[in-house]
Amino acid sequence: MAASLQALACAMLLLAVSPLACTASKTLLQDRCESYAGGDRSSYDYCVWTLRRDNKSATADELGLAVIAARMARATAKATGVKIAWLRANETVPVRRDCLAACAREYAAAVRRLGHAASAALAGKLQHAQTLLAEATGAPTLCDAAFAAARQDTPLTDAYLGLDDQIELAIAILPAPRPSLPART
């Protein structure tokens, strides 16, 4: 009888602790998304939806969530770069091909910066990660500007939706860099 009561107590303890472990992960994701959204429900839903697409978000810490967002942004930039390469290879109008070349450079730089930002964040170099994320922002706008300067319509309007949003999400979730302590003399 004592053994069965002890087993029952252990089972109840496991039932009580397990939901808390799951809730803690959800709470962190929810807290970071609430902070990101600033009360805007659609921004909150976007944040939760975006981060939950990666299964690792359920157990990620704050830094892990930022890395997930940066990697998703990198994947978006890379996919757009592939589309740009295809469009450029099939473009017959020289001025449009030049615009696509400018876009290709911007997206290649964004892919590099986003990859380096994720690596820097993982290495604890949060200030450097923040800088790289900020530098990667704007590739869609710069690409559009190349087409506008040439008085051409961009063929990429649907290709890069969300890149800057994903980067901004990573910036918002990235933990703030800790100020370095002055050296002792």
Side-chain angles (χ1 to χ4, degrees), residues 11-185:
M12 290 183 71
L13 180 63
L14 283 175
L15 288 173
V17 172
S18 294
L20 290 177
C22 294
T23 304
S25 296
K26 286 183 182 178
T27 300
L28 178 61
L29 185 135
Q30 291 170 342
D31 285 347
R32 297 311 303 147
C33 286
E34 285 173 4
S35 176
Y36 164 76
D40 180 52
R41 183 62 188 191
S42 64
S43 294
Y44 173 81
D45 290 343
Y46 166 77
C47 176
V48 170
W49 175 81
T50 299
L51 293 174
R52 282 193 178 156
R53 290 186 338 205
D54 187 313
N55 293 334
K56 293 177 185 171
S57 68
T59 57
D61 61 6
E62 187 175 28
L63 182 60
L65 292 174
V67 170
I68 288 168
R71 287 179 175 163
M72 287 180 165
R74 184 179 184 277
T76 298
K78 193 171 184 176
T80 303
V82 169
K83 180 171 183 168
I84 291 168
W86 183 87
L87 289 168
R88 192 171 165 207
N90 292 295
E91 183 58 63
T92 58
V93 179
V95 69
R96 292 180 62 76
R97 200 171 30 249
D98 291 344
C99 294
L100 288 165
C103 292
R105 285 189 299 275
E106 290 301 326
Y107 277 88
V111 168
R112 280 190 311 277
R113 288 177 179 137
L114 291 166
H116 291 311
S119 296
L122 286 172
K125 299 175 182 175
L126 301 180
Q127 184 66 49
H128 187 54
Q130 224 172 30
T131 300
L132 289 165
L133 288 167
E135 288 174 354
T137 304
T141 303
L142 293 169
C143 185
D144 283 346
F147 278 95
R151 298 179 191 252
Q152 299 288 312
D153 292 328
T154 178
L156 298 167
T157 53
D158 63 335
Y160 48 60
L161 291 175
L163 177 60
D164 281 348
D165 292 337
Q166 290 171 337
I167 295 170
E168 288 168 14
L169 176 61
I171 290 170
I173 293 175
L174 187 68
R178 293 185 181 150
S180 56
L181 298 174
R184 290 185 171 184
T185 56

